[in-house]
Amino acid sequence: MKFDEIDESCVNAIRMLSCECIERAGSGHPGLPLGAAPMAYVLWRNHLRLNPDDPEWFDRDRFVLSAGHGSAMLYSLLHLSGFDLTMDDLKHFRRFRSRTPGHPERGSAPEVEATTGPLGQGLGMATGMAMAEAHLAAVCHSGEEVINHRTFVLCGDGDLMEGVSYEAASLAGHLKLNKLMVLYDSNSVSLDGRADRSFSEDVRGRFKSCGWNYLRVEDGNDLSAIDAAIERAKQQRNGPTLIEVRTVIGFGAPGQGTNQVHGTPLGEKGLAELRRRLHWDHPEFTVPRNVRERFRQCIGQRGGQAEAEWKCRVNQWAAGHPDKAEKLTQALNHQLPPDWKEGLPREVTGSESGRVTSHRIIQILADKLPFLWGGSADLASSNKTNIERSDLFRAERREGRNIAFGVREFAEASALNGIALHGGSRVFGGTFFVFSDYMRAAIRLAALQKLPVIYIFTHDSIAVGEDGPTHEPVEQLMSLRAMPGVSLIRPADANETVAAWEAAIETSDRPTILALSRQKLPVLSGTAEQAEEGVRHGGYVLSPQEGAWPEGILIATGSEVRLAIGAQKLLRQSGHDVSVVSMPCFDRFEKQSQAYRESVLPSTVRRRMSIEMGATFGWERYVGLQGISLGVDTFGASGSAEDLMNHFGFTENHIVTLYTQAAEKPVNLVHPQVG
């Protein structure tokens, strides 16, 4: 492919628009756009299959800007390529409620495939996208290429310093995701100074050891060399490819090649000097006509033709395989088949752990939802996440529905986000609850992007026992409840676990965490009739008081609901008539009407006690200033579950003692007149 002066102008248009956006905003990162514009241009000009007229076309290539601080470059590319992003949008870069926020945000502008900025996670999400493409292509394959696209990433030195990039690269290499390609903007500079202050590893050796192909372009301004490297990478069949492109950060600007141009606007004089060096004589925010024509011809025409050809193939496939086509359409549109709940257990008898109930549910759902898949961080046998009638997803069997993420929780959570972003799947992932801390940053991005990822976190309390405090979650419940946009459900028994899975599957706009027990839980009286609606509402009166009005309220979650009901019976014997509220999901409860919340937790009943094997911080929301909380505000200990529960006071007798002592203290009880 030959490049000409117009192509050079296109590269400089990306550079200038990016820097003008940053200058207008008074903040931003000019270094990456100035250095990486050539590789981005070549990728978009010759290789990416995108259609500006239909940004959500499903078989488009995915482009993830993992180095999200270079967002001005992405917005410039979108505008120049003809996507619905105007020059006024560029001029409002980084302003409140603009379509061009400081770091890329999924949904703010077309073709922003992922919310990036926390370094390394873009590579993790791209790995998930490539996994989803490979899996869906295999599931849908019937002789026609219904799904066949690539995932491209642009990353920098900072991305490769973050540990998640190693986890993701290791997973991608193991799975031989040959349609995943990373353009590495290798400029040896990070925010604080030269990268060799903290980063000196052999990147080639690292990625080769992970099963990647490695290519290198010595001059980041050599469009032909970049083009040849990308073309060569597209031919690889034995694994993903990293192309290291040696660039000069802030190319053309005063201070180029140093950290001075990483994250600071160039200023009026600096911008003028850049114009002079790039021979850019056009007014601010001006794009020459020949530049616009080149972008539209190369990107719009190629993408429009590719989508038209794809639609023909899909129509032929759908005509021959209507059942598969219907189910894929449902998956793409987050629709559920009418009979998806059939077969779910409704009247569970006996005792079983939350993880075992969950495992049974997964088998039933897997039959009803063919695009449901997921896995665990080398804990499938403990988390009970395996789909029994399916194989592992691996290089030799892409249709497998069980993902062996290995001991890579951060990459697992990032990949789950990528699978959800890709579309066409419902996905879940598991680990021990305490190790959700390794996933936290990715869970946060799932919430920001409103992704319906389902997390199966088992071993949910100090009842883990013998594994000791390193494996016993204490603060995780409240810390994840504090994260906006996340539903955390901690079911009390098998019936609530069924209801929790139903709620998770029906949710399309946020992640759901299922905090499940290792130990067996007895089926509680009343949950068979109330759990479905109770969990959907987040909290409900499971065992009401005997009289017209409760003296007090015991509020519990998970395995502790059983203790609350046992304590309720003992309290009645001593004249204390209390109700028991099961509160499996705080955020769902908070979304209910004031009238509903009042019916569960009457404001006039101020004697309240929370019971949960986790940090008490946060329970004051429901128990109030005159209530008490039984919890665990230290780390756990090693020992049997029974010993630990006795030590920390999680017994019916201790609950009765605490409540009775509190009840003896004066309290302003304002009960309404009854009758």
Side-chain angles (χ1 to χ4, degrees):
M1 173 68 69
K2 291 185 178 181
F3 295 89
D4 56 24
E5 291 182 359
I6 297 177
D7 294 307
E8 295 293 344
S9 294
C10 289
V11 171
N12 287 336
I14 298 169
R15 286 168 164 155
M16 292 307 305
L17 274 182
S18 300
C19 289
E20 287 165 354
C21 290
I22 293 164
E23 197 66 32
R24 177 71 66 94
S27 70
H29 300 75
L32 184 144
L34 289 173
M39 74 176 88
Y41 173 68
V42 171
L43 176 64
W44 284 58
R45 181 197 192 279
N46 291 348
H47 302 281
L48 273 182
R49 297 187 315 155
L50 305 172
N51 186 359
D53 294 329
D54 187 6
E56 295 298 315
W57 162 41
F58 186 65
D59 204 38
R60 69 191 182 277
D61 290 335
R62 270 54 168 186
F63 173 74
V64 178
L65 182 64
S66 190
H69 55 276
S71 59
M73 182 181 74
L74 176 57
Y75 302 142
S76 298
L77 284 163
L78 291 172
H79 172 76
L80 291 167
S81 301
F83 286 88
D84 180 23
L85 200 68
T86 67
M87 190 66 82
D88 281 341
D89 289 325
L90 297 187
K91 292 177 181 178
H92 287 80
F93 177 58
R94 288 192 160 220
R95 292 189 186 178
F96 182 57
R97 291 181 176 172
S98 77
R99 301 180 69 207
T100 49
H103 290 82
E105 295 179 20
R106 171 72 171 162
S108 64
E111 196 47 40
V112 175
E113 297 286 3
T115 297
T116 57
L119 292 176
Q121 288 198 61
L123 180 55
M125 288 185 281
T127 297
M129 292 176 185
M131 292 168 64
E133 189 276 341
H135 177 67
L136 293 178
V139 171
C140 294
H141 180 70
S142 303
E144 301 88 355
E145 285 190 343
V146 178
I147 297 171
N148 181 16
H149 54 265
R150 302 179 187 277
T151 303
F152 297 90
V153 183
L154 196 155
C155 78
D157 293 296
D159 289 284
L160 299 190
M161 292 184 203
E162 286 287 359
V164 65
S165 71
Y166 178 84
E167 290 185 27
S170 176
L171 179 62
H174 171 74
L175 293 172
K176 295 181 172 20
L177 299 174
N178 60 289
K179 291 184 182 178
L180 174 63
M181 183 192 306
V182 175
L183 289 168
Y184 166 31
D185 176 25
S186 175
N187 57 43
S188 301
V189 175
S190 59
L191 189 150
D192 275 348
R194 288 189 55 81
D196 59 14
R197 298 165 70 250
S198 58
F199 187 63
S200 56
E201 68 189 50
D202 175 5
V203 171
R204 176 186 182 277
R206 166 181 163 185
F207 276 81
K208 291 285 283 185
S209 73
C210 288
W212 285 59
N213 303 293
Y214 172 88
L215 301 171
R216 182 180 173 96
V217 176
E218 290 296 341
D219 180 1
N221 288 311
D222 187 338
L223 304 185
S224 296
I226 295 169
D227 185 55
I230 296 174
E231 189 59 45
R232 184 178 170 190
K234 287 165 61 177
Q235 307 309 314
Q236 302 295 333
R237 295 291 181 268
N238 62 337
T241 300
L242 180 126
I243 304 175
E244 181 174 4
V245 183
R246 291 294 299 164
T247 63
V248 177
I249 188 172
F251 177 82
Q256 68 175 18
T258 73
N259 64 318
Q260 295 174 17
V261 291
H262 170 78
T264 305
L266 301 180
E268 185 178 345
K269 291 183 179 179
L271 201 57
E273 179 63 15
L274 177 65
R275 290 176 182 277
R276 186 187 68 79
R277 294 181 181 180
L278 297 182
H279 306 291
W280 190 260
D281 300 325
H282 308 285
E284 183 183 41
F285 291 106
T286 298
V287 180
R289 178 176 296 179
N290 59 358
V291 168
R292 286 197 182 278
E293 290 176 351
R294 178 62 55 89
F295 267 94
R296 304 296 169 87
Q297 289 170 358
C298 294
I299 296 170
Q301 290 182 10
R302 182 176 67 247
Q305 180 179 350
E307 181 176 4
E309 293 172 353
W310 175 75
K311 285 182 175 178
C312 289
R313 293 197 304 273
V314 169
N315 289 337
Q316 292 175 356
W317 171 74
H321 308 277
D323 185 54
K324 278 189 176 182
E326 180 185 9
K327 290 177 179 177
L328 177 60
T329 299
Q330 288 175 341
L332 292 176
N333 295 319
H334 294 288
Q335 297 172 344
L336 296 170
D339 63 345
W340 75 274
K341 290 185 181 181
E342 289 183 9
L344 291 175
R346 292 300 170 192
E347 294 184 7
V348 182
T349 58
S351 298
E352 64 182 16
S353 66
R355 60 177 176 161
V356 168
T357 304
S358 174
H359 182 253
R360 293 203 290 129
I361 295 167
I362 288 172
Q363 310 316 308
I364 297 166
L365 291 176
D367 286 342
K368 296 291 185 180
L369 307 174
F371 295 100
L372 175 72
W373 61 313
S376 182
D378 202 47
L379 289 167
S381 57
S382 290
N383 299 148
K384 307 296 183 185
T385 55
N386 60 303
I387 297 173
E388 292 179 353
R389 288 177 295 281
S390 185
D391 295 324
L392 276 181
F393 170 75
R394 57 185 189 272
E396 302 80 20
R397 193 165 177 78
R398 301 296 198 194
E399 63 269 32
R401 300 168 71 182
N402 294 305
I403 306 172
F405 286 105
V407 188
R408 305 183 182 98
E409 278 92 351
F410 199 172
E412 173 188 1
S414 294
L416 293 172
N417 288 347
I419 293 171
L421 284 166
H422 180 275
S425 299
R426 288 309 307 269
V427 67
F428 60 85
T431 189
F432 288 172
F433 192 20
V434 74
F435 300 139
S436 64
D437 286 345
Y438 285 130
M439 309 171 100
R440 173 175 297 277
I443 296 173
R444 189 174 192 272
L445 279 189
L448 271 169
Q449 298 176 93
K450 300 181 179 180
L451 302 178
V453 176
I454 300 171
Y455 305 97
I456 302 170
F457 293 155
T458 67
H459 300 59
D460 69 340
S461 72
I462 58 170
V464 171
E466 291 85 354
D467 277 330
T470 60
H471 284 54
E472 293 164 6
V474 173
E475 73 280 12
Q476 281 73 19
L477 279 168
M478 279 303 178
S479 62
L480 285 169
R481 284 171 179 150
M483 189 178 290
V486 174
S487 280
L488 188 154
I489 307 177
R490 187 169 184 245
D493 68 357
N495 290 316
E496 284 198 3
T497 302
V498 174
W501 259 106
E502 290 180 350
I505 291 293
E506 290 173 338
T507 298
S508 61
D509 63 350
R510 63 183 49 217
T512 300
I513 294 171
L514 305 179
L516 305 176
S517 72
R518 174 199 188 191
Q519 75 274 28
K520 290 184 177 181
L521 304 177
V523 175
L524 304 176
S525 176
T527 57
E529 300 79 19
Q530 300 184 73
E532 185 171 3
E533 283 301 307
V535 171
R536 197 181 306 277
H537 287 83
Y540 63 107
V541 180
L542 175 58
S543 182
Q545 72 286 349
E546 292 182 326
W549 202 258
E551 172 199 290
I553 307 173
L554 304 181
I555 314 168
T557 76
S559 57
E560 293 82 271
V561 177
R562 173 187 64 82
L563 295 176
I565 291 176
Q568 179 192 43
K569 295 177 182 178
L570 295 177
L571 284 167
R572 284 174 179 167
Q573 296 173 9
S574 56
H576 297 286
D577 190 15
V578 301
S579 64
V580 172
V581 168
S582 176
M583 186 70 74
C585 186
F586 281 24
D587 78 291
R588 283 180 171 269
F589 186 71
E590 290 300 315
K591 288 180 175 64
Q592 305 310 310
S593 67
Q594 176 63 33
Y596 179 82
R597 285 181 282 135
E598 181 69 16
S599 71
V600 176
L601 298 175
S603 56
T604 53
V605 181
R606 300 180 184 175
R607 282 182 180 148
R608 302 181 182 185
M609 181 178 181
S610 66
I611 307 162
E612 183 175 69
M613 287 190 280
T616 59
F617 181 83
W619 271 111
E620 59 273 7
R621 166 180 292 188
Y622 296 125
V623 301
L625 297 177
Q626 294 172 317
I628 56 175
S629 292
L630 172 60
V632 182
D633 289 319
T634 65
F635 292 116
S638 295
S640 69
E642 183 180 0
D643 287 342
L644 265 63
M645 292 175 69
N646 285 330
H647 172 75
F648 286 101
F650 287 93
T651 66
E652 295 172 4
N653 288 331
H654 186 62
I655 293 169
V656 169
T657 298
L658 288 179
Y659 180 87
T660 303
Q661 290 174 350
E664 293 173 354
K665 298 177 182 178
V667 63
N668 294 322
L669 296 177
V670 187
H671 292 315
Q673 295 295 320
V674 179

